Amino acid sequence: MEKQHNYNNHLIHEKSDYLLQHADNPVNWFPWGDKAFNKAKQENKLVLVSIGYSSCHWCHVMEDESFKDEEVAEIMNKYYVSIKVDREERPDVDHVYMDAAQILTGSGGWPLNVFTLPDGRPVYGGTYFPKEQWKEVLLNLVYTYFSQPEKVKEQAKSISQGISDMQLRILSGNNSKEFKENEVKSVIDSVKKHVDNEYGGLSGAPKFPMPQFHSMLLKYYFYTRDETIKNYINTTLENMSNGGIYDHLEGGFARYSTDNEWKVPHFEKMLYDNAQLASLYSQAYLLTETDTFKEITEQTLEFLRNHMYKEGAGFFSSYDADSEGQEGKYYTWHEREINSLFLEDENIIKDYFGITKEGDIDGRNVLHINNSIDRLTKKYNLSAKQVETIIENARKKLLEKRAIRNRPDLDTKVIVSWNALAIKAFIDGYKATQKRHYLRIALESAEFLITHQFQKDYRLNRIYYDGESKINAFLDDYAFLIDALIQLYQVTFDNKWIDWAMKLSEYALTHFELNNSSLLQYKSNLDENLVSPKIEIVDSVIPSSNSIMAKNLFILGQYFYSDSYITRARNMVSEIHSTIERSPVYFANWIDLMLWFVYPPYEISIVGRKSEDYKQRFMHLYHPGIILAGGTHEGNLPILRDRFKLGKTQIYICQGRVCKQPLNNVDEALKMIS
């Protein structure tokens, strides 16, 4: 039965699932925009900017405790103009106020609650507040605002200056650096101090999957054959896929693990995590030929296809952690449920999935791989085939049982940058498995974005909601989509994809330009900045928009023979080089680009009638130093110019535009680059 809302605030007309969740709060919420700030100026009120997203557990907790409470709402409505922001719609707003929270408290997170002057400058903030503390904050702050207005204005000035200074510190690098092998090795040696060699991932808890971090290490291993790196990556990928952070019934990864063993997750499932992890496991499979990595790739992609994708509508954003008011209820099991389902084989099932009476969360168990098949065969005196059959039947039965539960809510917004990551994931899955329906999904998704999200002059919109395209896109939308289009070109040799990538890059360089810097600002210069231009450089769970853009320029520079693009990419990483050296763990994608300057990639052109067959051989191997181009005819791409010979299929292998004699034998070509 559809939920009946008693809407009484300004969020009623919004499309965002997160905003609509608050549309029947007694708090008189406004969406982000001039209307709210104009009201604050007219009435001389402080503004509350409250930021979250639909699958955020503590956002729901604070809503239930405070924003649904009549007494709290009365205080907020009387003294404040309150704005609700979906951070996934408006990451630009989130960036600015998260910086403010970092300055004020030294930490951040969601829900993010920041109080501002009527002009939007922040004066105070934090994350989750329990109800009584929240009431105290509301009353104390409004008292200070009216009794000591100059003090509050001075605080706003100080925080705004702090935000500007944070951005200026980024712009202090060297613009002409040459990168050396020993320098990269020194950075990797520093990275090694922060990893967990027992369970994988970074040391400590909570543990977040860091796909780009591990992808960079795969690339470093390829060039150096550092076995400690390979062992660490294997440990990480095996423990993540064995742990409770992975859904052993349906596929897909939760957002992070609350412990250091990947066992008990925070259960929300994000598109960006699963897309990047599918890419990572694809790459790891091609490098190691470990069958488990291929299985995880396929299961994760099938989860995305079956549960987060709608043909003709793109990939949706996330699944909530909660259902029926409890975090993880959909995914967890009481021991008694297992006992009732598997009377004959219950001990084997419980041993395999680590089921105990005490459980992991309030008596409920998170399924994880607790024992190997080999160990169970010895313990129960069964063949491996018998144990595997018991486990597979158990999975099916548990999935059937889970299917009758209330599924967590799905946030159906379509985000360009996250969809681009999904396109890349399905391309990587296609390379690893040769399953053509993965390529078909990638192509369909790219066509959807081009059809629905492009405006005139190659401007993008960021968000798509059930027929409505909205919000001017940010740098990450351009950067990730350009990356995905480049990947599509490499697997199809269809020139339209690389042409789109080039046009989007030209648009981004023009409209995200930052004065006196090779880096780009996060927000288009068509839109007004809140406090100061935001420059996104940190590679966290998602790589930074600038690092992706720098890699795009490097690759496009090879395709179009653009020295200015390659120089720009070098300058971008040079400009923040000192920052990378101080904290290399969170600049993995920049290090990935540095590796191309240290180990120049091969520019491989395959031109002629058999180009499609030859291309397949290159795609189905792990080699991070290949920039692939080609087709059955010459075309207009500079890298292919004058290389078509009628009646022949030739392979041109170049480095830095210095080429060897063309080959017509794939095995010889592969040997040359191995």
Side-chain angles (χ1 to χ4, degrees):
M1 183 177 177
E2 188 176 345
K3 181 180 176 183
Q4 297 298 311
H5 292 285
N6 178 27
Y7 295 116
N8 58 2
N9 64 47
H10 300 273
L11 302 181
I12 181 174
H13 300 297
E14 295 299 305
K15 295 284 189 177
S16 160
D17 290 339
Y18 177 66
L19 299 185
L20 288 174
Q21 287 167 9
H22 295 77
D24 57 0
N25 292 169
V27 176
N28 188 26
W29 293 114
F30 284 80
W32 178 265
D34 291 340
K35 186 175 181 180
F37 285 103
N38 288 339
K39 178 179 171 64
K41 290 170 185 174
Q42 291 167 6
E43 299 177 7
N44 190 26
K45 287 183 176 179
L46 288 172
V47 176
L48 164 67
V49 181
S50 182
I51 305 171
Y53 54 102
S54 70
S55 56
C56 166
H57 171 70
W58 287 103
C59 298
H60 298 322
V61 172
M62 190 162 180
E63 181 193 10
D64 289 338
E65 290 179 350
S66 295
F67 302 148
K68 289 182 178 179
D69 185 273
E70 296 282 353
E71 181 187 7
V72 174
E74 185 180 0
I75 298 171
M76 293 174 66
N77 295 339
K78 183 176 181 180
Y79 297 115
Y80 296 88
V81 174
S82 299
I83 298 174
K84 254 294 163 195
V85 176
D86 183 336
R87 67 174 290 258
E88 295 165 357
E89 277 193 345
R90 298 301 306 253
D92 58 324
V93 176
D94 181 58
H95 282 328
V96 169
Y97 292 125
M98 187 62 74
D99 284 348
Q102 294 279 354
I103 291 169
L104 285 160
T105 68
S107 63
W110 299 277
L112 178 63
N113 293 289
V114 175
F115 296 91
T116 82
L117 294 178
D119 61 9
R121 287 182 296 160
V123 296
Y124 183 74
T127 54
Y128 164 76
F129 292 88
K131 175 183 170 180
E132 293 306 316
Q133 185 183 359
W134 182 241
K135 286 163 56 181
E136 188 176 332
V137 166
L138 292 169
L139 293 170
N140 286 345
L141 187 58
V142 76
Y143 174 78
T144 304
Y145 178 57
F146 285 109
S147 63
Q148 303 178 63
E150 293 307 315
K151 179 181 178 181
V152 176
K153 289 176 183 176
E154 188 60 36
Q155 172 83 329
K157 182 179 178 181
S158 174
I159 295 170
S160 297
Q161 186 61 52
I163 293 171
S164 297
D165 290 346
M166 287 173 71
Q167 302 307 303
L168 287 173
R169 282 195 293 272
I170 292 170
L171 309 177
S172 57
N174 175 2
N175 260 8
S176 58
K177 188 166 181 59
E178 296 293 326
F179 302 106
K180 305 295 183 184
E181 189 172 3
N182 63 341
E183 186 177 23
V184 176
K185 182 181 183 301
S186 175
V187 169
I188 298 298
D189 287 342
S190 177
V191 164
K192 287 179 179 179
K193 299 172 185 176
H194 300 279
V195 303
D196 182 344
N197 287 304
E198 183 176 2
Y199 296 108
L202 299 178
S203 297
K207 259 190 168 67
F208 287 81
M210 300 285 282
Q212 183 54 45
F213 175 74
H214 295 99
S215 179
M216 177 274 292
L217 290 177
L218 276 178
K219 186 172 176 177
Y220 181 77
Y221 167 76
F222 176 84
Y223 287 119
T224 65
R225 298 297 162 177
D226 182 337
E227 289 299 316
T228 63
I229 293 291
K230 184 180 180 182
N231 292 337
Y232 162 73
I233 292 170
N234 282 334
T235 296
T236 299
L237 298 190
E238 287 169 3
N239 280 308
M240 279 203 304
S241 59
N242 284 340
I245 193 173
Y246 185 68
D247 185 344
H248 295 278
L249 303 184
E250 204 167 61
F253 290 84
R255 184 162 169 253
Y256 65 86
S257 173
T258 59
D259 59 279
N260 71 331
E261 299 178 31
W262 307 106
K263 186 178 178 183
V264 179
H266 187 47
F267 290 90
E268 63 203 62
K269 285 182 175 180
M270 313 300 294
L271 174 59
Y272 61 76
D273 282 323
N274 284 284
Q276 291 182 98
L277 286 166
S279 288
L280 175 61
Y281 277 87
S282 298
Q283 295 164 15
Y285 168 68
L286 288 176
L287 177 66
T288 67
E289 298 185 342
T290 302
D291 287 339
T292 303
F293 296 165
K294 182 181 180 183
E295 291 170 9
I296 299 300
T297 296
E298 292 176 336
Q299 290 169 11
T300 303
L301 291 176
E302 290 304 315
F303 163 72
L304 290 177
R305 182 176 76 152
N306 294 331
H307 300 288
M308 298 190 77
Y309 177 68
K310 183 178 179 182
E311 191 170 340
F315 288 90
F316 301 138
S317 297
S318 62
Y319 271 104
D320 206 326
D322 301 6
S323 57
E324 300 181 55
Q326 294 184 48
E327 184 182 4
K329 184 172 183 180
Y330 178 74
Y331 301 100
T332 53
W333 304 84
H334 287 285
E335 184 196 34
R336 62 179 180 271
E337 293 179 277
I338 305 298
N339 292 343
S340 65
L341 285 171
F342 306 104
L343 294 175
E344 185 177 343
D345 302 315
E346 66 177 59
N347 289 331
I348 297 175
I349 306 304
K350 286 156 69 173
D351 268 2
Y352 183 74
F353 284 122
I355 305 294
T356 64
K357 184 177 181 180
E358 296 77 18
D360 304 302
I361 307 171
D362 300 327
R364 305 192 314 270
N365 289 272
V366 179
L367 300 184
H368 62 282
I369 308 303
N370 188 57
N371 273 300
S372 67
I373 299 294
D374 287 344
R375 201 174 298 161
L376 293 176
T377 60
K378 293 171 185 174
K379 181 174 180 179
Y380 292 97
N381 196 27
L382 296 169
S383 69
K385 183 66 175 175
Q386 287 174 306
V387 174
E388 288 169 358
T389 300
I390 290 169
I391 298 302
E392 186 56 33
N393 288 338
R395 278 199 176 98
K396 291 177 181 176
K397 203 165 186 179
L398 287 167
L399 197 52
E400 289 172 4
K401 179 74 172 176
R402 199 170 79 174
I404 66 176
R405 296 176 175 176
N406 290 327
R407 194 176 186 87
D409 289 339
L410 173 65
D411 186 334
T412 58
K413 80 162 94 40
V414 174
I415 303 173
V416 167
S417 56
W418 298 8
N419 269 249
L421 290 171
I423 292 169
K424 186 173 184 297
F426 278 85
I427 293 169
D428 288 334
Y430 168 60
K431 290 179 183 178
T433 68
Q434 303 294 289
K435 291 186 174 182
R436 289 199 65 83
H437 69 277
Y438 290 162
L439 177 58
R440 177 182 58 78
I441 291 171
L443 288 166
E444 285 177 358
S445 302
E447 292 283 4
F448 168 79
L449 294 181
I450 286 173
T451 301
H452 292 89
Q453 296 304 95
F454 275 85
Q455 312 304 308
K456 64 180 182 180
D457 301 327
Y458 297 94
R459 184 179 72 78
L460 271 173
N461 276 355
R462 175 177 175 82
I463 300 292
Y464 180 85
Y465 281 116
D466 192 24
E468 182 181 350
S469 176
K470 58 184 288 188
I471 301 178
N472 201 13
F474 303 106
L475 184 61
D476 57 340
D477 299 302
Y478 287 88
F480 287 118
L481 183 55
I482 293 164
D483 181 23
L485 295 173
I486 291 170
Q487 301 303 319
L488 267 182
Y489 169 74
Q490 295 203 30
V491 295
T492 64
F493 287 167
D494 185 339
N495 271 25
K496 81 173 183 179
W497 302 120
I498 201 70
D499 290 341
W500 274 104
M502 189 62 171
K503 292 295 186 183
L504 279 172
S505 296
E506 291 172 349
Y507 182 94
L509 291 176
T510 300
H511 291 91
F512 292 83
E513 186 178 18
L514 192 63
N515 291 336
N516 304 315
S517 175
S518 59
L519 298 169
L520 300 170
Q521 63 178 341
Y522 185 72
K523 198 171 183 178
S524 166
N525 55 24
L526 298 176
D527 299 313
E528 187 178 349
N529 286 300
L530 287 172
V531 177
S532 68
K534 172 66 180 178
I535 311 162
E536 189 184 58
I537 62 167
V538 175
D539 301 322
S540 186
V541 175
I542 302 178
S544 68
S545 50
N546 265 293
S547 67
I548 290 289
M549 199 64 209
K551 288 172 71 175
N552 291 339
L553 294 175
F554 180 90
I555 297 172
L556 290 171
Q558 316 296 333
Y559 282 125
F560 289 91
Y561 285 180
S562 172
D563 291 333
S564 65
Y565 272 23
I566 296 169
T567 299
R568 178 73 174 261
R570 182 189 295 277
N571 289 345
M572 290 173 79
V573 68
S574 296
E575 194 162 346
I576 64 162
H577 186 260
S578 58
T579 307
I580 295 171
E581 287 184 321
R582 288 196 298 272
S583 184
V585 168
Y586 295 102
F587 295 90
N589 203 44
W590 293 104
I591 298 169
D592 193 299
L593 175 56
M594 288 168 62
L595 287 169
W596 271 337
F597 285 112
V598 174
Y599 306 100
Y602 293 100
E603 307 131 34
I604 300 178
S605 302
I606 310 170
V607 185
R609 183 170 52 85
K610 297 181 181 178
S611 61
E612 180 66 26
D613 294 335
Y614 287 11
K615 175 186 67 184
Q616 295 296 326
R617 295 283 303 280
F618 284 93
M619 286 195 318
H620 197 58
L621 82 161
Y622 179 80
H623 196 311
I626 290 178
I627 294 172
L628 203 60
T632 56
H633 56 281
E634 186 172 301
N636 296 319
L637 201 58
I639 196 173
L640 300 177
R641 202 164 288 154
D642 300 325
R643 289 184 174 173
F644 178 74
K645 307 297 179 186
L646 190 65
K648 292 184 178 181
T649 300
Q650 294 187 302
I651 304 168
Y652 295 82
I653 298 179
C654 314
Q655 273 186 309
R657 300 179 202 165
V658 177
C659 303
K660 301 186 182 299
Q661 286 294 318
L663 302 169
N664 56 19
N665 183 292
V666 179
D667 291 328
E668 288 181 27
L670 292 173
K671 189 180 297 184
M672 189 176 289
I673 65 171
S674 62

